Amino acid sequence: MMSADKPIVRIQGLQKRFGDLEVLKGVDMGVQKGEVVVILGPSGSGKSTLLRCINRLEQPSGGHIWFEDTEITDPKTNINEVRERIGMVFQSFNLFPHRTAKGNVMLAQQKVMKRDKAEAERIAVEQLVKVGLGDRVDYFPAQLSGGQQQRVAIARALAMDPHVMLFDEVTSALDPELVRGVLDVMKALAAGGMTMLVVTHEMGFARDVASRAVFMDGGVIVEQGTPQEVFDHPQSDRTKDFLGHIR
Amino acid sequence: MIEIGAGGGDATGPGAIDPGEGSSGVSSRIKRTINYALLAVVVIGLLYYVFVPVGPDMIQYTMIGRNDTKTPSTLYLSHKAAFTIGKNADISVPLQGSTALVAATISRTGYQNGVAIWSFKSNEPSTTVTVNGAPAGDGPLPDGAVLGVDDVQMTYNAGRIGFTGFLDRLESDDTAHLFISPAVISGAFPIVAAGFPVSVAFGVLGFVFAIPLGLALSFMKMAKTRWFRWPATFYVDVVRGTPMFLQILIVVFAIPLLPAYKSLLTAYPWLNDAGPLGVSYTYWMRGLVVLSFNSAAYMAEIFRAGIQSINKGQSEAARSLGMTGVQSMAFVILPQTVRRILPTMMSEFILLFKDTAMLSAVGVAEMVQRAREVAASTFNSSSYLVAAVFYLLLTIPLGRFVQSLENRLAVSEGAGGAAAAEVVPVALDVLNPGTVVPHGAVLPGAEKGPETIPTRNGR
């Protein structure tokens, strides 16, 4: 579909303003197919906003984003078609509380991809088994732990066969003992070749899994490189300062 | 005296209050205590009124002796046999063979300090009425007094009056019988009962028609463009800012003046005929228009608040999966909204059901109208009690149901969420829904801080 060196996501001069507050001040970035990019930074640095601009949950104020061959920032683009191919997992899970785990994973398959019920159900169960919840398919979100809910959310996104997955601080709302299960799912996903953009504070995960680490502060990318480069030999003072606080 | 207020929870009696709750808990406990005390006073008062004799006011009479046989015979006249329903006791004395003659009339004319006042009237010149051998004068009777009508003697007994005696006393009481006359009540019962389905039908149909209208209004109010928002806001303000009574008068009397309405009636003259339940089609139409258009304005606010109470993350999740705005609304937001607003919607129904009474102003033969007709023809207000009972028949069980629904919702939605422990079952005062979510209670399941769903104040 595309040449190997052509980025699957390309961001150029991205700006985002909330009123007078400038959250993104011109971000340039490319993500290759199969890459796992971890985005780090202090809160308010714009990393979540960057992620949310990629599937246009936030409307960029300036700049361009291309996803595969589509320009997302083009107002003529049918964003719903693009979003089908971009999976997103949220910090607060956002499962649909009126549907079971299986129902959560089935809904968009049926309504958006127009899969018939039997197929949607088969894929839903398959995905739930993959995230280790084969015995919880008929549970309602309220009956699941936070970690289980988050894994359902991942299965829900994966069922749409996304080409890219966006993870927005997906373990931040979890109790420490539940984090591991979610990270394990993400690791397996990365090992399977999924292209991932991950905003996280899990430094261990970033170091082990990321193919690239991006450090953001004040709405710009301050520094990026392999996890070893960024974590062990940070160039910028802001990166050093941030990593010092994290440890 | 019905207690549906904040205190009347089924599961939690007055003693089951968590000692840890705040000042609002204390004040509600005081309120609850006062309510129960008032209820106890009323119940004890009623029991006292029914079963404790307040004076020699007896219904049983013993007749002793017949002049033609000399053999003492005893005749017990129950009050029913002796009294016509009303105030009078006609004492019939059998004379020569089987011919009966009303010899004298003993009437209870009322009560003074709880003691019956009697009047005596002979119906024949030769007949005299005696009390303890002396000619009877009007006034109270001492216990054990022997009444004589010519040579027939009767003993007046005091004692407990019992339920039938209670009914009779109501009937005889100069004041009470105007409000709770058993005779008028039993007469009014079938008449008012025939209006019950009319009231229910107006309530239910008005409610059902109001739902799509209210939903459309709520979407208009949430629209980005002012050309939807402003008309909807104007409509809601006007409807909520004017009395429903006035709206009924306007719709029922103004619509017929429209040329379109006139030509409609010319084209379909049968619309003037009596339709289902004896109400004409034109009244069904106009009544339902005013009820549903009115209720829709209130529902618009319920829907809007309900939709906006759903966490923004829900629509973001739906949109991130590629759903359109409409799909997200239909499959994600609205199903959650419905569950959340169900209790509020049901109390809206209760309000609407009660408001159907105002249709009596234009002559729709629903319960209140029928009760009014009975009252006018009997010069007696007892029929209103019958109507009240019929309203309560529906509103009290529904109110209880709303309450249990609230509690269940609080439990189910809160089960896995972080707010599970904090969610207070929302007490719902159905008969006075202005106080529905008291003290800014957290809406069950609302994730983003206190969010209340507005309910209209009673009109």
Side-chain angles (χ1 to χ4, degrees), chain B residues 227-303:
Chain B
W227 303 114
F228 282 123
R229 232 170 36 234
W230 286 356
T233 306
F234 178 73
Y235 177 86
V236 170
D237 284 352
V238 167
V239 170
R240 300 212 305 178
T242 51
M244 189 186 196
F245 191 70
L246 189 62
Q247 295 165 11
I248 289 176
L249 295 178
I250 290 173
V251 169
V252 173
F253 294 132
I255 286 186
L257 301 178
L258 296 174
Y261 187 83
K262 284 177 183 159
S263 49
L264 183 76
L265 284 190
T266 320
Y268 305 101
W270 52 266
L271 284 173
N272 273 319
D273 297 347
L277 304 173
V279 176
S280 78
Y281 292 101
T282 59
Y283 272 119
W284 279 116
M285 285 185 334
R286 287 176 290 171
L288 288 175
V289 161
V290 72
L291 287 174
S292 54
F293 276 62
N294 175 282
S295 190
Y298 292 92
M299 284 188 192
E301 287 300 293
I302 298 174
F303 288 135

Side-chain angles (χ1 to χ4, degrees), chain B residues 224-419:
Chain B
K224 287 201 182 79
T225 152
R226 68 184 83 151
W227 303 114
F228 282 123
R229 232 170 36 234
W230 286 356
T233 306
F234 178 73
Y235 177 86
V236 170
D237 284 352
V238 167
V239 170
R240 300 212 305 178
T242 51
M244 189 186 196
F245 191 70
L246 189 62
Q247 295 165 11
I248 289 176
L249 295 178
I250 290 173
V251 169
V252 173
F253 294 132
I255 286 186
L257 301 178
L258 296 174
Y261 187 83
K262 284 177 183 159
S263 49
L264 183 76
L265 284 190
T266 320
Y268 305 101
W270 52 266
L271 284 173
N272 273 319
D273 297 347
L277 304 173
V279 176
S280 78
Y281 292 101
T282 59
Y283 272 119
W284 279 116
M285 285 185 334
R286 287 176 290 171
L288 288 175
V289 161
V290 72
L291 287 174
S292 54
F293 276 62
N294 175 282
S295 190
Y298 292 92
M299 284 188 192
E301 287 300 293
I302 298 174
F303 288 135
R304 188 191 54 75
I307 287 169
Q308 289 178 347
S309 80
I310 305 296
N311 192 322
K312 198 160 158 271
Q314 290 292 313
S315 69
E316 285 185 352
R319 299 306 299 272
S320 81
L321 290 163
M323 287 193 211
T324 63
V326 173
Q327 286 175 327
S328 157
M329 184 56 76
F331 304 120
V332 175
I333 307 297
L334 281 183
Q336 296 181 55
T337 306
V338 167
R339 302 163 119 217
R340 199 166 284 183
I341 65 175
L342 205 57
T344 321
M345 285 292 280
M346 290 200 54
S347 41
E348 172 65 25
F349 170 72
I350 293 172
L351 282 165
L352 191 66
F353 172 59
K354 291 191 293 176
D355 284 345
T356 59
M358 279 185 269
L359 291 174
S360 66
V362 293
V364 175
E366 43 70 71
M367 288 196 283
V368 170
Q369 172 67 10
R370 286 158 178 269
R372 270 167 47 162
E373 282 164 9
V374 173
S377 63
T378 57
F379 299 107
N380 190 299
S381 300
S382 308
S383 54
Y384 295 136
L385 278 186
V386 181
V389 168
F390 272 109
Y391 280 102
L392 293 174
L393 215 62
L394 204 64
T395 54
I396 289 180
L398 270 180
R400 289 288 173 197
F401 182 61
V402 169
Q403 203 165 25
S404 72
L405 215 70
E406 284 272 357
N407 295 342
R408 245 189 316 175
L409 202 67
V411 172
S412 74
E413 279 211 41

Side-chain angles (χ1 to χ4, degrees), chain A:
Chain A
M1 192 163 159
M2 61 179 65
S3 59
D5 55 345
K6 191 179 174 193
I8 187 167
V9 177
R10 189 154 60 89
I11 300 168
Q12 196 181 69
L14 183 66
Q15 293 176 328
K16 174 65 189 177
R17 218 174 286 110
F18 292 104
D20 289 337
L21 182 70
E22 212 176 353
V23 180
L24 295 177
K25 301 173 183 167
V27 173
D28 299 289
M29 188 173 166
V31 179
Q32 298 293 335
K33 199 165 168 56
E35 230 184 337
V36 177
V37 180
V38 168
I39 304 170
L40 310 164
S43 62
S45 59
K47 47 195 196 309
S48 280
T49 307
L50 171 65
L51 220 55
R52 292 161 61 85
C53 282
I54 293 177
N55 67 356
R56 236 171 72 184
L57 281 183
E58 300 291 354
Q59 198 66 42
S61 315
H64 303 273
I65 302 172
W66 287 266
F67 173 71
E68 293 178 342
D69 298 323
T70 317
E71 184 183 348
I72 288 174
T73 40
D74 183 348
K76 289 192 291 262
T77 302
N78 181 351
I79 191 64
N80 294 322
E81 280 174 14
V82 181
R83 282 175 179 156
E84 252 186 272
R85 290 173 279 152
I86 304 178
M88 184 158 188
V89 186
F90 301 85
Q91 179 178 351
S92 51
F93 326 143
N94 295 343
L95 290 186
F96 309 136
H98 59 298
R99 293 180 148 253
T100 60
K102 193 169 72 184
N104 264 275
V105 184
M106 285 168 67
L107 182 64
Q109 292 189 63
Q110 290 178 273
K111 304 300 177 192
V112 179
M113 303 180 87
K114 310 290 178 197
R115 286 180 180 155
D116 65 44
K117 194 181 170 206
E119 194 192 0
E121 188 166 1
R122 182 182 60 75
I123 292 171
V125 172
E126 191 182 296
Q127 290 295 348
L128 285 168
V129 167
K130 216 180 266 182
V131 297
L133 293 173
D135 56 342
R136 293 283 190 277
V137 291
D138 290 322
Y139 283 49
F140 281 92
Q143 299 167 307
L144 298 171
S145 75
Q148 290 168 334
Q149 289 188 54
Q150 194 59 292
R151 283 185 276 153
V152 174
I154 294 173
R156 179 174 70 180
L158 289 176
M160 306 295 287
D161 302 329
H163 299 184
V164 168
M165 286 284 287
L166 310 176
F167 292 89
D168 188 5
E169 300 199 29
V170 293
T171 56
S172 299
L174 296 179
D175 292 339
E177 74 269 22
L178 303 175
V179 169
R180 171 182 279 274
V182 174
L183 290 183
D184 285 347
V185 169
M186 290 167 68
K187 275 180 197 167
L189 208 53
M194 176 63 77
T195 311
M196 296 162 62
L197 271 88
V198 185
V199 170
T200 187
H201 295 293
E202 297 289 335
M203 293 304 154
F205 172 83
R207 197 183 273 274
D208 294 348
V209 181
S211 44
R212 179 152 50 112
V214 174
F215 176 73
M216 281 183 74
D217 192 14
V220 292
I221 294 178
V222 175
E223 189 169 347
Q224 58 179 313
T226 65
Q228 287 70 31
E229 285 167 0
V230 174
F231 286 119
D232 300 336
H233 310 288
Q235 303 298 307
S236 137
D237 288 343
R238 279 192 281 177
T239 317
K240 285 177 196 164
D241 189 44
F242 173 75
L243 292 172
H245 277 103
I246 288 284
R247 290 200 180 111

Side-chain angles (χ1 to χ4, degrees), chain B residues 18 20 35 70 121 138 171 194 222 245 329 371 405 447:
Chain B
D18 178 5
N35 282 341
K70 301 274 181 206
K121 188 173 137 261
D138 292 357
E171 203 67 79
M222 288 185 288
F245 191 70
M329 184 56 76
L405 215 70
E447 290 156 61

Side-chain angles (χ1 to χ4, degrees), chain B residues 11-375:
Chain B
T12 55
I17 298 167
D18 178 5
E21 64 190 343
S23 59
S24 64
V26 172
S27 82
S28 86
R29 190 192 321 201
I30 291 170
K31 232 193 283 178
R32 198 179 304 187
T33 312
I34 292 173
N35 282 341
Y36 278 123
L38 286 173
L39 191 65
V41 166
V42 169
V43 168
I44 291 170
L46 272 175
L47 289 174
Y48 183 86
Y49 187 72
V50 172
F51 291 111
V52 177
V54 289
D57 173 21
M58 259 313 285
I59 315 297
Q60 266 189 340
Y61 293 83
T62 311
M63 295 181 76
I64 309 160
R66 297 281 304 273
N67 67 333
D68 54 345
T69 62
K70 301 274 181 206
T71 316
S73 65
T74 306
L75 178 61
Y76 294 98
L77 295 176
S78 79
H79 78 283
K80 268 190 173 166
F83 285 73
T84 56
I85 293 211
K87 297 185 189 183
N88 300 332
D90 293 332
I91 312 292
S92 304
V93 182
L95 297 169
Q96 281 92 34
S98 60
T99 318
L101 189 77
V102 177
T105 305
I106 301 176
S107 324
R108 186 166 47 200
T109 55
Y111 291 87
Q112 211 169 56
N113 301 325
V115 177
I117 304 298
W118 299 88
S119 102
F120 307 94
K121 188 173 137 261
S122 56
N123 296 330
E124 289 176 85
S126 62
T127 307
T128 50
V129 183
T130 58
V131 175
N132 291 336
D138 292 357
L141 285 178
D143 188 19
V146 177
L147 298 178
V149 178
D150 281 348
D151 46 1
V152 179
Q153 292 187 323
M154 296 161 289
T155 308
Y156 179 72
N157 292 325
R160 291 181 183 278
I161 62 174
F163 186 65
T164 44
F166 166 65
L167 292 183
D168 185 59
R169 171 188 279 191
L170 282 181
E171 203 67 79
S172 322
D173 191 301
D174 274 349
T175 311
H177 96 278
L178 291 173
F179 300 99
I180 33 181
S181 157
V184 176
I185 286 176
S186 61
F189 188 86
I191 298 172
V192 176
F196 184 67
V198 178
S199 293
V200 172
F202 267 109
V204 170
L205 291 175
F207 185 75
V208 168
F209 294 150
I211 290 173
L213 285 173
L215 200 59
L217 279 171
S218 77
F219 284 138
M220 284 174 75
K221 285 201 81 165
M222 288 185 288
K224 287 201 182 79
T225 152
R226 68 184 83 151
W227 303 114
F228 282 123
R229 232 170 36 234
W230 286 356
T233 306
F234 178 73
Y235 177 86
V236 170
D237 284 352
V238 167
V239 170
R240 300 212 305 178
T242 51
M244 189 186 196
F245 191 70
L246 189 62
Q247 295 165 11
I248 289 176
L249 295 178
I250 290 173
V251 169
V252 173
F253 294 132
I255 286 186
L257 301 178
L258 296 174
Y261 187 83
K262 284 177 183 159
S263 49
L264 183 76
L265 284 190
T266 320
Y268 305 101
W270 52 266
L271 284 173
N272 273 319
D273 297 347
L277 304 173
V279 176
S280 78
Y281 292 101
T282 59
Y283 272 119
W284 279 116
M285 285 185 334
R286 287 176 290 171
L288 288 175
V289 161
V290 72
L291 287 174
S292 54
F293 276 62
N294 175 282
S295 190
Y298 292 92
M299 284 188 192
E301 287 300 293
I302 298 174
F303 288 135
R304 188 191 54 75
I307 287 169
Q308 289 178 347
S309 80
I310 305 296
N311 192 322
K312 198 160 158 271
Q314 290 292 313
S315 69
E316 285 185 352
R319 299 306 299 272
S320 81
L321 290 163
M323 287 193 211
T324 63
V326 173
Q327 286 175 327
S328 157
M329 184 56 76
F331 304 120
V332 175
I333 307 297
L334 281 183
Q336 296 181 55
T337 306
V338 167
R339 302 163 119 217
R340 199 166 284 183
I341 65 175
L342 205 57
T344 321
M345 285 292 280
M346 290 200 54
S347 41
E348 172 65 25
F349 170 72
I350 293 172
L351 282 165
L352 191 66
F353 172 59
K354 291 191 293 176
D355 284 345
T356 59
M358 279 185 269
L359 291 174
S360 66
V362 293
V364 175
E366 43 70 71
M367 288 196 283
V368 170
Q369 172 67 10
R370 286 158 178 269
R372 270 167 47 162
E373 282 164 9
V374 173

